[in-house]
C-alpha cells in the first residue's frame, strides 16, 4: 500500500509546488521506489481545457485524453511516469460527480453537504491506484486560506486520519522574503502560513522554504521552533538557473532524506543520481548556442508554451547546445513584413492555438521559413498554417483557409483546406462530433497511432514507420487536397492508420520543414528528448554553422 505525501502551499502562489513535487518524485525514484504524482485543483472549471492560456498557462494532455494542469507536464518530465486521467481533478469535476450521483439517487434521499459527500469524493479520488506504487504524491493547488481550497484540505485531513499512523506526510511550501533595505530574511509570512494550516487541522512534517539564497542556521531554528518541525525538516528551495538542477539541489538540502526519516524508513536505499548529474552537465556545459523563434499568439505568458520551451531545452541537451528562445508575436506580421523580425534565427517554430487572431502572421512565418530554407517545425495549428501557406503560394489555391476561421466569423470567406473534424476512429469505435457541440472535452484528444511514409524525413527522424503521439484539436487538413499539394512539393509523410487523416507534412526540397498535427512536446523528457525536437535543434545547429 502506498505512502502518501500531500504538498500544500502558502503565502503566495506560483512558488514552485509542482516543481518541488516532481523533483521529490525523481529523488524517490533514484532510491528505487515507484511513484505516482497527482494534482488537486480548487477551481470550478471541470478541467483546464476551456481556459484561456493567459489564465492558466498551457493545457497538458495525457495519453488517455485528459486535459490537465501544466504541473502534470513537470511530473512526467521529471519521473517519466505517464500521467493518466486519474492524476488530475478539480473542484468542478468533484462537484459535478457529486451532483450526478445525487440526480441518479445514489445518496438515497440524503441532504448533500460538503462534509461528508464532497470530501468523500475527494478521498475516493486520492485512493485510486494506491496499491500500484510505493509513494503517492498529491499536490493541492492554490494556497492555504483560499476559500475554494477548504474542502480539499479537510479531505486530506480526514484521509490521514483514516490511514494507519505514519502512512501520510504533509509538506508545506512557503516564501521566505528577503528585505533588501534591512538585509533580513523574514520568517513571519511562513509562520502565519503554518498557523493558518494548523487552524484547519493540518500540521506540516516538512517545510520547504523558497528563498533567493541559503537559510542561515538562526532562521532555520526559528522556523523549526515556531512551526513545530524538526530543524533538519526545514528545507531551503533556492532560486536555480535551470529547473533541471532541482533534484540535485533538493537532495543536497536533504529533502528526500527528511521524507524517509518522517516515514521512519531506515536504512534507506542510497540514491543513484547519475541520470540527473548528466542532465545538469549537458545544460551547464553546452558547446554552442542556437536561436529559435517561437511565432505564437500567447507570447506574453511563457507558461502558455511551457512544454514546447522545455522540449527545445531537451533538444539542446541532446545536441550539447544552449537553445536561446525568442518569443515573436504573430500579430506583428499582420501589418509588417516578417523578414526583419525573423532574420538571424537558426530555426522557426509555430505552435498550436485556437481562433483566427494572429494566423496570417503564422502563415507568413511558414512562408519565410520555406523560402529562406530555415528549419521549421509547425505543431497542430502551426502545421495547418504551413498547409494553407503551401496551398495559397505553391498550389494555386489562392483562397485557401480554415473552416475554423469561417465558423468564428460567421460567414464563408475561405476554401477550407482545413475543415472541422466530424468523425474519426478511436481504438475499435467511431467518434462523431458536430460544430455546435459543447467545447469542453470534445476534441480529438489523447494518444493516436500514425504511419510514416518510407523514405520520408520523419521516418528517418523517428527511426521507424509506426508512432504514437498525443493530439488536441478539432480541425484537420482535408485529404482531398493531397494530390494538389504533393504536386507542389508538400508531401503527406504521416497518416492515420486508416489513411484518412493527415498527421505529418514535409517539404521535399527543404533541408528541414516538418508540420505535425499532434503535440510532440508533451512526450519529451530531459533524459529522453523527443526525436523531432532533437533533430530540429540539430538542424538549427547546422544552420548556425552556415550563418
Amino acid at each position: 500500500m502506498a505512502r502518501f505525501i500531500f504538498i500544500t502551499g502558502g503565502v503566495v502562489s506560483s512558488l514552485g509546488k509542482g516543481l518541488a513535487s516532481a523533483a521529490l518524485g525523481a529523488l524517490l525514484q533514484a532510491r528505487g521506489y515507484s511513484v505516482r504524482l497527482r494534482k488537486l485543483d480548487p477551481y470550478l472549471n471541470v478541467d483546464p481545457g476551456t481556459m484561456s492560456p493567459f489564465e492558466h498557462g498551457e493545457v497538458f494532455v495525457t495519453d488517455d485524453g485528459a486535459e490537465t494542469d501544466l504541473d502534470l507536464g513537470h511530473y512526467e518530465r521529471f519521473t517519466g511516469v505517464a500521467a493518466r486521467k486519474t492524476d488530475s481533478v478539480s473542484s468542478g469535476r468533484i462537484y459535478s460527480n457529486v451532483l450526478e450521483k445525487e440526480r441518479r439517487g445514489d445518496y438515497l434521499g440524503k441532504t448533500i453537504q460538503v462534509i461528508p459527500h464532497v470530501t468523500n469524493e475527494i478521498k475516493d479520488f486520492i485512493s485510486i491506484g494506491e496499491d500500484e506504487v510505493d509513494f503517492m504524491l498529491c499536490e493541492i493547488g492554490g494556497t492555504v486560506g483560499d476559500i475554494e481550497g477548504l474542502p480539499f484540505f479537510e479531505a486530506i485531513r480526514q484521509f490521514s486520519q483514516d490511514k494507519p499512523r505514519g502512512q501520510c506526510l504533509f509538506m508545506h511550501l512557503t516564501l521566505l522574503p528577503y528585505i533588501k533595505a534591512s538585509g533580513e530574511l523574514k520568517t513571519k509570512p511562513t509562520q502565519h502560513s503554518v498557523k493558518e494550516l494548523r487552524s484547519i487541522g493540518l500540521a506540516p512534517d516538512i517545510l520547504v522554504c523558497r528563498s533567493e539564497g541559503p537559510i542561515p542556521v538562526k532562521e532555520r531554528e526559528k522556523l523549526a521552533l515556531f512551526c513545530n518541525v524538526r530543524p533538519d525538516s526545514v528545507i531551503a528551495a533556492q532560486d536555480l538557473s535551470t529547473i533541471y538542477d532541482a533534484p540535485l539541489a533538493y537532495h543536497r538540502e536533504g529533502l528526500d532524506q527528511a521524507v524517509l526519516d518522517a516515514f521512519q524508513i531506515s536504512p534507506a536505499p542510497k540514491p543513484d543520481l547519475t541520470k540527473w548529474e548528466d542532465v545538469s552537465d549537458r545544460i551547464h556545459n553546452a558547446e554552442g548556442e542556437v536561436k529559435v523563434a517561437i511565432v505564437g499568439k500567447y507570447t506574453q505568458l511563457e507558461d502558455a508554451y511551457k512544454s514546447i520551451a522545455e522540449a527545445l531545452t531537451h533538444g539542446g541537451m541532446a545536441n550539447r547546445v544552449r537553445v536561446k528562445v525568442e518569443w515573436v508575436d504573430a500579430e506583428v506580421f499582420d501589418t509588417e513584413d516578417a523578414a526583419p523580425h525573423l532574420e538571424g534565427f537558426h530555426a522557426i517554430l509555430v505552435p498550436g492555438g485556437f481562433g483566427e487572431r494572429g494566423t496570417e502572421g503564422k502563415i507568413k512565418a511558414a512562408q519565410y521559413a520555406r523560402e529562406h530554407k530555415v528549419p521549421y517545425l509547425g505543431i497542430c495549428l502551426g502545421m495547418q498554417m504551413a498547409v494553407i501557406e503551401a496551398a495559397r503560394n505553391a498550389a494555386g489555391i489562392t483562397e485557401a483557409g480554415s473552416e475554423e476561421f469561417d465558423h468564428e466569423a460567421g460567414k464563408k470567406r475561405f476554401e477550407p483546406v482545413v475543415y472541422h473534424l466530424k468523425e474519426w476512429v478511436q481504438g475499435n469505435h467511431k467518434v462523431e462530433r458536430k460544430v455546435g457541440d459543447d467545447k469542453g472535452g470534445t476534441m480529438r484528444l489523447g494518444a493516436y497511432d500514425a504511419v510514416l511514409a518510407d523514405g520520408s524525413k520523419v521516418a528517418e527522424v523517428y527511426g521507424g514507420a509506426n508512432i504514437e503521439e498525443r493530439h488536441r484539436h478539432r480541425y484537420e487538413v482535408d485529404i482531398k487536397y493531397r494530390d494538389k499539394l504533393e504536386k507542389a512539393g508538400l508531401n503527406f509523410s504521416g497518416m492515420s492508420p486508416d489513411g484518412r487523416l493527415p498527421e505529418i507534412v514535409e517539404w521535399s526540397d527543404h533541408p528541414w520543414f516538418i508540420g505535425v498535427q499532434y503535440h510532440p512536446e508533451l512526450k519529451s523528457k530531459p533524459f529522453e528528448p523527443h526525436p523531432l525536437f532533437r533533430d530540429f535543434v540539430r538542424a538549427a545547429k547546422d544552420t548556425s554553422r552556415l550563418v
Side-chain angles (χ1 to χ4, degrees):
M1 198 176 284
R3 292 178 170 89
F4 289 84
I5 302 170
F6 294 104
I7 299 101
T8 57
V11 187
V12 294
S13 59
S14 301
L15 283 179
K17 287 198 306 295
L19 185 57
S21 306
L24 176 57
L27 288 173
L28 291 169
Q29 276 185 329
R31 289 179 181 266
Y33 296 109
S34 59
V35 300
R36 180 159 287 282
L37 289 96
R38 294 213 155 120
K39 181 74 186 285
L40 292 79
D41 270 310
Y43 51 71
L44 282 174
N45 303 64
V46 171
D47 61 43
T50 55
M51 284 193 213
S52 162
F54 290 126
E55 286 276 326
H56 202 70
E58 77 168 7
V59 173
F60 190 81
V61 180
T62 60
D63 282 334
D64 57 5
E67 293 176 288
T68 71
D69 185 82
L70 61 80
D71 276 332
L72 269 75
H74 283 315
Y75 303 163
E76 274 204 26
R77 283 188 283 274
F78 276 73
T79 65
V81 177
R84 304 191 291 227
K85 278 183 179 176
T86 51
D87 293 331
S88 176
V89 78
S90 67
S91 286
R93 170 62 66 199
I94 294 292
Y95 282 111
S96 181
N97 289 352
V98 169
L99 293 173
E100 280 171 21
K101 288 179 179 178
E102 185 271 334
R103 292 290 84 187
R104 283 200 307 263
D106 292 5
Y107 296 118
L108 304 175
K110 287 192 172 72
T111 303
I112 311 306
Q113 295 178 291
V114 173
I115 302 171
H117 302 99
V118 171
T119 50
N120 282 350
E121 191 73 24
I122 295 168
K123 289 193 290 184
D124 289 346
F125 169 79
I126 294 168
S127 299
I128 296 168
E130 65 177 324
D131 55 348
E132 297 174 8
V133 292
D134 299 318
F135 288 95
M136 190 78 81
L137 286 73
C138 300
E139 177 194 346
I140 316 297
T143 55
V144 173
D146 296 345
I147 194 166
E148 63 266 33
L150 288 173
F152 287 100
F153 291 119
E154 173 58 21
I156 63 175
R157 184 195 69 77
Q158 291 179 18
F159 189 90
S160 68
Q161 294 297 311
D162 296 342
K163 292 292 177 189
R165 189 182 294 276
Q167 208 179 322
C168 295
L169 178 152
F170 296 97
M171 182 171 119
H172 192 52
L173 192 79
T174 68
L175 177 68
L176 282 188
Y178 178 73
I179 309 299
K180 218 170 189 178
S182 61
E184 289 179 299
L185 200 62
K186 290 296 184 183
T187 63
K188 195 63 76 179
T190 295
Q191 290 179 47
H192 279 293
S193 182
V194 171
K195 182 183 175 187
E196 182 80 31
L197 196 62
R198 292 173 72 84
S199 73
I200 54 177
L202 298 172
D205 300 286
I206 294 172
L207 272 184
V208 177
C209 302
R210 182 71 185 267
S211 63
E212 290 179 30
I215 306 173
V217 174
K218 183 180 150 197
E219 274 71 19
R220 277 181 195 266
E221 290 172 348
K222 192 174 179 183
L223 285 165
L225 178 65
F226 287 107
C227 299
N228 201 34
V229 298
R230 296 162 59 99
D232 55 5
S233 293
V234 178
I235 308 296
Q238 295 179 51
D239 294 349
L240 302 168
S241 58
T242 167
I243 61 171
Y244 298 113
D245 279 340
L248 296 175
Y250 276 123
H251 176 66
R252 283 194 300 271
E253 278 291 322
L255 175 60
D256 47 332
Q257 191 59 54
V259 166
L260 296 170
D261 288 346
F263 280 123
Q264 297 184 330
I265 298 173
S266 182
K270 293 274 186 289
D272 178 6
L273 297 168
T274 315
K275 181 168 72 173
W276 289 104
E277 285 160 357
D278 179 56
V279 165
S280 184
D281 176 62
R282 286 176 177 274
I283 287 182
H284 292 294
N285 298 306
E287 294 165 6
E289 182 177 272
V290 295
K291 286 178 67 180
V292 177
I294 297 182
V295 182
K297 60 194 276 189
Y298 310 117
T299 51
Q300 299 94 316
L301 182 70
E302 292 181 15
D303 272 358
Y305 302 118
K306 190 68 181 168
S307 289
I308 286 176
E310 297 308 323
L312 284 170
T313 300
H314 307 159
M317 288 156 60
N319 289 280
R320 286 268 178 193
V321 293
R322 188 173 292 106
V323 179
K324 186 183 179 190
V325 169
E326 287 195 25
W327 308 90
V328 181
D329 188 348
E331 284 188 275
V332 171
F333 302 161
D334 289 348
T335 54
E336 296 178 35
D337 181 21
H341 296 276
L342 295 176
E343 283 169 1
F345 286 105
H346 305 131
I348 295 166
L349 189 152
V350 175
F354 296 90
E356 190 173 0
R357 181 174 67 82
T359 51
E360 289 299 324
K362 292 183 177 186
I363 290 167
K364 284 183 184 175
Q367 182 179 2
Y368 178 90
R370 175 176 65 83
E371 292 175 351
H372 292 80
K373 306 295 184 192
V374 178
Y376 176 92
L377 176 57
I379 295 173
C380 199
L381 187 68
M383 166 188 164
Q384 295 172 6
M385 296 306 98
V387 170
I388 291 171
E389 190 278 321
R392 288 181 187 176
N393 300 321
I397 310 168
T398 53
E399 299 301 312
S402 172
E403 209 172 29
E404 179 179 6
F405 311 149
D406 281 347
H407 288 157
E408 192 179 357
K411 58 185 176 184
K412 190 174 184 334
R413 298 164 297 159
F414 298 115
E415 183 170 344
V417 296
V418 176
Y419 72 104
H420 184 270
L421 189 58
K422 294 172 182 65
E423 62 179 56
W424 64 89
V425 175
Q426 184 172 18
N428 297 318
H429 66 281
K430 188 166 77 172
V431 182
E432 295 185 349
R433 290 284 182 264
K434 295 192 290 292
V435 175
D437 285 350
D438 287 347
K439 292 285 182 267
T442 57
M443 289 183 268
R444 187 175 178 226
L445 285 166
Y448 287 86
D449 294 332
V451 181
L452 311 182
D454 287 343
S456 63
K457 182 74 177 173
V458 286
E460 179 194 325
V461 168
Y462 276 98
N466 297 289
I467 60 169
E468 184 187 74
E469 295 283 2
R470 295 177 189 175
H471 293 65
R472 183 179 183 247
H473 61 103
R474 283 190 190 88
Y475 294 83
E476 185 85 43
V477 173
D478 197 331
I479 193 70
K480 74 181 184 186
Y481 293 97
R482 178 175 183 170
D483 289 344
K484 267 190 179 179
L485 288 162
E486 290 203 323
K487 275 179 191 163
L490 186 69
N491 295 329
F492 284 49
S493 54
M495 299 293 295
S496 59
D498 62 5
R500 294 175 61 189
L501 304 178
E503 294 280 9
I504 308 167
V505 295
E506 58 183 65
W507 278 103
S508 53
D509 60 348
H510 193 287
W512 211 102
F513 191 111
I514 294 173
V516 296
Q517 184 57 70
Y518 49 84
H519 289 269
E521 71 275 15
L522 300 177
K523 292 178 84 166
S524 189
K525 300 167 187 69
F527 38 83
E528 193 185 330
H530 191 282
L532 273 175
F533 281 90
R534 185 180 62 226
D535 207 60
F536 178 58
V537 175
R538 179 204 55 75
K541 187 177 171 183
D542 290 348
T543 305
S544 72
R545 289 171 175 160
L546 300 172
V547 184

